[in-house]
Amino acid sequence: MAALVGGLLLALAAAVASGGETRPAPVRNRASMGEAPRVGSLTPAAALAIAGQHVIDAYAGPNPPPSLIAAIRAGQTAGVILFSPNVADPAALHRAVAEMQAAAAASPEHRPLLILTDQEGGLVRRLPGAPALSEQAIGVRPDRLALAAQAGAGAAATLRRAGVNVNLAPVLDVYRSPGNFIDQYGRSYSQNPAVVSRLGAQFIHAQQADRIAATAKHFPGLGSATRAQDTDTVPVRVDVPLSELRTVDEAPYVAAIRAGVRLVMVSWAVYPALDPARPAGLSSRVIGGELRGRLHFRGVTITDAIEAGALRGYGGVGARSVLATAAGADLILACAPTPSANTPAIGHTAVSAIAAALLEHHLNLTAVEASGARVSALRAWIRP
Ligand SMILES: *[C@@H]1O[C@H](CO)[C@@H](O)[C@H](O)[C@H]1NC(C)=O
């Protein structure tokens, strides 16, 4: 019975694939038909569709603007990040998520839209509810292993209720001194990399068991950044020797990758030990060499906010997005460090610039398509 039904479904699927589709047959010479000339084998529309798979949009206020809904329906965005102003009214949030997912379902990509937020715990929580404890509060408790798992499961439950499917947590930074950049809001589990490794892995495992994707951040580590070294506002240089960077800051990523973490967020700081010329998120040495090559990460890489002050000197949003994509960032977080300044225009600029770079052969199409396949796999894995 099961086999018969399966066979019928397969036959139906084949019929839909061959006859039910309205996709036009490939046309060899479009220029002679008065259409835009093809550049290589890529049309401008195809370039936009590819570029759209690499950008996460943002907006201000409770309602997604019509331009964002149109971009989602056109398949020109991979997801949306939510901040406090977007989630203040639960009923409006519910409507917004439903509207955005309906637009994604009607898009050529069909797959669910990635909906992301920062639900770290303690002070850094966009949504009311679990996890109530900060990483710091968990790290000092004797029952911290169980609490880290509870925090991951709690975050999953809170996000699932709101329709969020990617958490930009846990923070895996190993803080060096009390009150520094990452410790000031209690965002680091411990000064001991072994403790951060174990607690981070617990959080990831528990949260992803409920199919809410976790994001280990901020690679290769912001634990030694001072209070004033905030990449949202200024260029930051993390002068940690290579051996320390690998044995302390990167150590928790080994455990996170082993636990199957789906995403890694790459920091906007410069790490001279790895690449003196560029911020980590714009560096193929950091993303391709260190994270994928040395640590064997196979999941999705995502940048921090593209409008961050740390990227002063790297051009506008378009130029930054192309540099990040060329460096191997799978997703560009097209948002501002200040939520009220968010608009889908930022994402639109990023998508247009990546598409133009593809058409002009300034980006490696094969590499960008492989990157898009990782994003697609993530969109297939999450539950909307
Ligand atoms: C383009 O990317 C592919 C896949 O990563 C790689 O194998 C190839 O060498 C790259 N081509 C160039 C010209 O860099």
Side-chain angles (χ1 to χ4, degrees):
M1 183 61 185
L4 181 60
V5 172
L8 284 172
L9 285 176
L10 278 180
L12 186 62
V16 167
S18 61
E21 231 177 57
T22 54
R23 186 175 298 166
V27 177
R28 271 186 203 288
N29 188 354
R30 298 168 85 98
S32 69
M33 297 173 66
E35 293 185 38
R38 294 166 67 111
V39 182
S41 57
L42 202 60
T43 62
L48 280 174
I50 294 170
Q53 293 316 299
H54 299 278
V55 174
I56 301 296
D57 273 303
Y59 59 98
N63 304 310
S67 65
L68 176 56
I69 298 301
I72 296 169
R73 191 167 293 121
Q76 288 174 15
T77 181
V80 174
I81 179 169
L82 300 176
F83 292 96
S84 302
N86 306 125
V87 305
D89 174 357
L93 174 61
H94 191 265
R95 277 197 308 275
V97 168
E99 188 185 7
M100 293 191 290
Q101 289 295 10
S107 79
E109 167 76 8
H110 299 307
R111 297 221 155 111
L113 200 63
L114 299 173
I115 308 227
L116 309 77
T117 203
D118 296 282
Q119 192 76 1
E120 298 175 5
L123 289 173
V124 186
R125 275 183 294 166
R126 307 300 180 216
L127 290 156
L133 294 179
S134 68
E135 293 90 334
Q136 183 192 62
I138 291 172
V140 297
R141 291 272 295 263
D143 53 344
R144 59 196 179 195
L145 271 183
L147 288 174
Q150 262 175 44
T158 302
L159 297 183
R160 173 162 304 294
R161 272 196 301 277
V164 176
N165 48 44
V166 177
N167 192 4
L168 298 174
V171 173
L172 297 186
D173 299 328
V174 181
Y175 83 100
R176 300 303 204 284
S177 57
N180 77 356
F181 172 73
I182 206 69
D183 184 60
Q184 63 183 324
Y185 301 116
R187 300 171 74 195
S188 172
Y189 284 119
S190 174
Q191 293 186 287
N192 179 345
V195 172
V196 177
S197 298
R198 284 199 294 274
L199 301 188
Q202 288 289 316
F203 184 103
I204 291 161
H205 192 265
Q207 190 197 274
Q208 291 193 161
D210 198 13
R211 290 269 195 108
I212 302 291
T215 309
K217 69 186 185 187
H218 309 80
F219 189 83
L222 283 174
S224 62
T226 64
R227 207 170 213 185
Q229 288 186 302
D230 181 353
T231 56
D232 274 354
T233 53
V234 289
V236 170
R237 189 183 151 102
V238 173
D239 262 313
V240 173
L242 186 60
S243 60
E244 183 182 334
L245 207 50
R246 286 180 170 167
T247 55
V248 177
D249 296 284
E250 291 181 18
Y253 291 88
V254 175
I257 291 165
R258 201 177 295 134
V261 70
R262 304 295 308 203
L263 299 95
V264 169
M265 179 185 284
V266 186
S267 137
W268 283 142
V270 175
Y271 299 80
L274 293 173
D275 186 344
R278 288 192 170 178
L282 302 183
S283 167
S284 60
R285 287 206 214 167
V286 175
I287 300 177
E290 201 69 3
L291 181 57
R292 294 206 186 279
R294 195 176 82 83
L295 298 178
H296 307 292
F297 179 59
R298 299 281 170 265
V300 169
T301 53
I302 183 166
T303 70
D304 207 333
I306 197 74
E307 288 202 338
L311 298 189
R312 180 195 302 162
Y314 290 91
V317 164
R320 295 170 180 195
S321 302
V322 171
L323 285 174
T325 304
D330 298 322
L331 289 172
I332 310 292
L333 211 45
C335 64
T338 313
S340 60
N342 278 324
T343 151
I346 304 170
H348 181 76
T349 302
V351 170
S352 306
I354 294 169
L358 285 168
L359 289 168
E360 290 156 16
H361 304 287
H362 294 152
L363 281 171
N364 179 339
L365 179 61
T366 310
V368 173
E369 283 184 326
S371 161
R374 288 190 287 271
V375 174
S376 234
L378 177 62
R379 291 176 70 176
W381 180 81
I382 49 117
R383 282 187 298 168

